[in-house]
Amino acid sequence: MPRRKPRPATAGAFSREAVIAFINDNPAACGRRDIARAFGLRKNARKELSAILREIEDEGLVPRRRKRRLSQAEYLPDSAIVEIFAIDGDGEPLARPLEWSGEGEAPPIVMLPERGGRDALAVGDRVLARLSKSGPEGFVGRTLRRIPRGPERVMGIYKRIKGEGRLIPTERRLKSEFKVSRIDSKGARDGDLVFAVAVPGRRMGLPLARITELIGASLDDPRSFSLIAIHANNIPVDFSDDAIAEAEKAKPTIDLEGREDLRDIPLITIDGADARDFDDAVWAESDGSGGWHAMVAIADVAHYVTPGSALDRDALARGNSVYFPDRVAPMLPEALSNELCSLKPDEPRPCLAVHLWIDGDGRLKRHRFLRGLMRSTARLTYEQAQAARDGQRADPPDAIAPLYGVFEALIKARGSRGAIDLDLPERMVTLGDDGHVESVAPRRRLDSHRLIEELMICANVAAAETLEKRDTAAMYRIHDEPGLEKLTELRDFLAGFDIALAVGKSPRPSYFNRILADVAGEPHAPAVNTAILRSQAKAEYSPDNIGHFGLNLSRYCHFTSPIRRYADLLVHRALIRALNLGAGGLPEGAEDRFVDLGEKISATERRAQKAERQAMDRYMAAYMEDRIGAVFAGRISGVTRFGLFVTLDETGADGIVPRRSLGARVDVDEAARTMTAGGRVIRLGDAVEVRLRQAEVATGSLAFELLSGGSEIKSRRKSKPSRKRRRR
């Protein structure tokens, strides 16, 4: 929701009492950054502020809300403009706030019936509504006044049905099809992907739409699924002419001026078999005393993408690359991302590298950053690196064995500090030459994956430590601890499995790990892993360091992927300036924009994740389309008043069992995440058997019928009253 500017802080010195008074004086949610600005706090005083905020939250004086904003107000205001996105099975209009900046999806709003004989609310209507809390996650709304609006742009599939033009929306929130007259079809053919605008017309029957743009793809081609996600989320695809010209003008460099020559160090890249760019290389050796000397070398993107250039502007507009099963929407043109900044074997490449000295227990003892010229000696896949480790491949052991030695030390350190270790399998979609899905299977999790991850984490920590020591502005990767509200929900859920969770004090990551270890191998382990994940705050980018809760690190930056993340490019520039490593560093005064930049690239990251998820859902729906009527095993992954969400064991596909399909008498307890229907209690994590009833490729949605699952409600016979009681 739009944020109101906080009122000035009360006069007097900065103190615990003054912070509480400031929060209470500001009914709109105010965050740590707002409070620091109000009191004029410098960087060294912000740690004290963080401690005060944690303290007053733990004492219950101010509840934590979304995006780490603290307020006595709820995370939706008393009134807001909302849009009707669906009508549920009971005929109640469902709405979402028109503007939402919180984590995840906006909370659902059930609109109360209209007063005074006014027309019922329809999908697409917008109203100013008075909102009030209903249950742990929902709201109810009452219309104050309707909001007139202009035509809305809709993406959809054009179809000819019985000689009549139809537009089938690709957004799940739009439940109704649109009617398209021949004169408004713009020459679209059956199956074309198009943009259209809603046209004012009669309320009876289907709403009307006019096609405004032909996107040029057909739903029959699975490669259009990622295109739909790109357009629906406004992800930039085409680079500006100036950016293309700059990328094509760039030349490979072998100039050693200001660089160290690393070409004799046998650095290698280890990536996925389907990787399209290689921006990190690694090397290690024993230090002779039980520890390790490692190096992580990263493509020197800052050498080619300078501040304020056309390439820089285009990269910032994207924020990050977006990856789909069939394509990439890159942050940088391919002339850079796939060529000059890709660490290809036997090709000299400029790099920004860090020496890491790590002891036998995985502690980072010291580090040194440099600008260099390197040459990768090999490009290995994760599978090849693992095969070499296992003795199944003839790669030289002097290249592989030391890397695994470093890995074993870093894993030891990870366990000691207690980073959260969730077990959430990732699914991999394999496409055939025609773009159709050939298979969906769990992605293998190898030690070679973890090896690279741990080395990258170590390099990221070194970058953050260097910038902090040099008192240089940094774009930190921050991850706040879970809020009180989320922990309370998690406690209530875990109680159903006889797992106790203390909510009164700030949890540590190791506390979650103990729970995960206790449930490992149990049938409800996947549900517990998912519930703990959902209880966590979202990681973000910010110049205000609050640490990384999930990794249990006090300082952390993203340094290792400047080809695909703008945050990493900012960290490279900051290191170049802080260490006097030459041209391309952070310009003076650039740190003044870091707050806004952090919010922007955090938003583009969420946009990319949403687009990738939407494309994957459509690929999954297309894969399942031929299996309608088949029976699958799965688990309940969500319990809402709209129905039960199910995740299939075989493919990881997600779908819904609509509430209306469960019978007339259905009771939902969203706080306990249980649903009672047909004499059975179904709860989050329960194993179920379902039949696939519908697969909507256009929206990427699946609908199931529940066949079995949950636990039977035990009936209790009422005892007869005693004679003495009857006489009375």
Side-chain angles (χ1 to χ4, degrees), residues 252-383:
T253 181
I254 56 172
D255 187 1
L256 280 172
E257 184 177 355
R259 298 184 182 275
E260 295 185 27
D261 193 346
L262 308 176
R263 287 175 290 183
D264 290 336
I265 297 178
L267 289 150
I268 62 173
T269 63
I270 303 176
D271 296 277
D274 56 350
R276 299 167 174 89
D277 48 56
F278 319 112
D279 56 358
D280 56 81
V282 294
W283 165 85
E285 66 177 0
S286 171
D287 67 0
S289 60
W292 302 94
H293 172 209
M295 177 178 285
V296 175
I298 307 297
D300 191 357
V301 176
H303 173 74
Y304 298 102
V305 184
T306 56
S309 64
L311 281 169
D312 186 43
R313 292 192 298 271
D314 279 24
L316 176 57
R318 287 157 172 77
N320 43 258
S321 298
V322 189
Y323 294 87
F324 302 102
D326 66 321
R327 73 184 76 199
V328 177
M331 188 180 80
L332 298 172
E334 290 189 3
L336 295 181
S337 59
N338 287 11
E339 294 297 332
L340 296 182
C341 293
S342 188
L343 306 181
K344 295 183 175 183
D346 301 321
E347 297 284 346
R349 290 288 188 260
C351 66
L352 196 61
V354 57
H355 288 279
L356 305 165
W357 285 272
I358 301 162
D359 69 14
D361 292 323
R363 291 186 293 262
L364 181 60
K365 308 302 291 183
R366 61 190 176 97
H367 48 80
R368 181 174 73 87
F369 283 88
L370 60 100
R371 226 168 176 178
L373 186 69
M374 61 155 287
R375 180 167 47 220
S376 170
T377 58
R379 180 270 201 258
L380 299 181
T381 66
Y382 290 117
E383 291 76 15

Side-chain angles (χ1 to χ4, degrees), residues 443-521:
R443 189 182 293 273
R444 291 182 65 197
R445 179 75 169 159
L446 304 171
D447 279 348
S448 53
H449 291 94
R450 303 172 70 203
L451 155 66
I452 295 300
E453 288 173 6
E454 292 302 322
L455 273 171
M456 297 304 113
I457 289 172
C458 189
N460 290 337
V461 169
E465 288 182 354
T466 298
L467 293 174
E468 186 175 89
K469 184 177 180 180
R470 298 277 176 158
D471 198 26
T472 300
M475 187 61 74
Y476 292 98
R477 180 65 167 178
I478 62 172
H479 182 220
D480 205 356
E481 63 186 40
L484 182 61
E485 185 176 341
K486 289 288 188 182
L487 284 176
T488 302
E489 293 175 15
L490 179 62
R491 179 197 63 192
D492 295 342
F493 168 69
L494 293 177
F497 298 108
D498 295 324
I499 301 172
L501 177 70
V503 173
K505 59 181 181 179
S506 297
R508 302 309 311 151
S510 56
Y511 190 48
F512 293 113
N513 281 340
R514 285 196 294 272
I515 294 173
L516 294 170
D518 288 342
V519 302

Side-chain angles (χ1 to χ4, degrees), residues 430-628:
T430 302
L431 303 181
D433 294 337
D434 59 356
H436 285 79
V437 180
E438 287 189 345
S439 65
V440 179
R443 189 182 293 273
R444 291 182 65 197
R445 179 75 169 159
L446 304 171
D447 279 348
S448 53
H449 291 94
R450 303 172 70 203
L451 155 66
I452 295 300
E453 288 173 6
E454 292 302 322
L455 273 171
M456 297 304 113
I457 289 172
C458 189
N460 290 337
V461 169
E465 288 182 354
T466 298
L467 293 174
E468 186 175 89
K469 184 177 180 180
R470 298 277 176 158
D471 198 26
T472 300
M475 187 61 74
Y476 292 98
R477 180 65 167 178
I478 62 172
H479 182 220
D480 205 356
E481 63 186 40
L484 182 61
E485 185 176 341
K486 289 288 188 182
L487 284 176
T488 302
E489 293 175 15
L490 179 62
R491 179 197 63 192
D492 295 342
F493 168 69
L494 293 177
F497 298 108
D498 295 324
I499 301 172
L501 177 70
V503 173
K505 59 181 181 179
S506 297
R508 302 309 311 151
S510 56
Y511 190 48
F512 293 113
N513 281 340
R514 285 196 294 272
I515 294 173
L516 294 170
D518 288 342
V519 302
E522 297 292 333
H524 55 276
V528 173
N529 274 265
T530 300
I532 289 178
L533 174 65
R534 290 176 178 174
S535 73
Q536 304 302 305
K538 295 288 186 183
E540 297 180 305
Y541 294 106
S542 172
D544 296 332
N545 181 31
I546 62 169
H548 196 292
F549 177 81
L551 293 174
N552 203 10
L553 293 168
S554 58
R555 60 191 67 82
Y556 191 65
C557 284
H558 271 171
F559 157 76
T560 55
S561 294
I563 285 180
R564 61 185 181 91
R565 292 190 303 229
Y566 194 82
D568 302 53
L569 179 56
L570 291 175
V571 170
H572 276 228
R573 289 172 178 170
L575 288 167
I576 290 168
R577 186 175 83 176
L579 301 173
N580 297 315
L581 295 178
L586 201 66
E588 289 296 331
E591 57 269 28
D592 296 340
R593 297 182 56 219
F594 266 30
V595 170
D596 292 335
L597 286 175
E599 292 179 355
K600 177 177 176 57
I601 57 182
S602 296
T604 58
E605 179 184 53
R606 291 191 296 271
R607 177 181 70 181
Q609 292 168 346
K610 182 180 178 182
E612 291 168 353
R613 184 175 63 251
Q614 289 175 348
M616 187 65 74
D617 286 347
R618 290 186 175 93
Y619 274 109
M620 195 68 76
Y623 181 64
M624 301 291 288
E625 194 175 23
D626 294 334
R627 306 176 74 180
I628 290 176

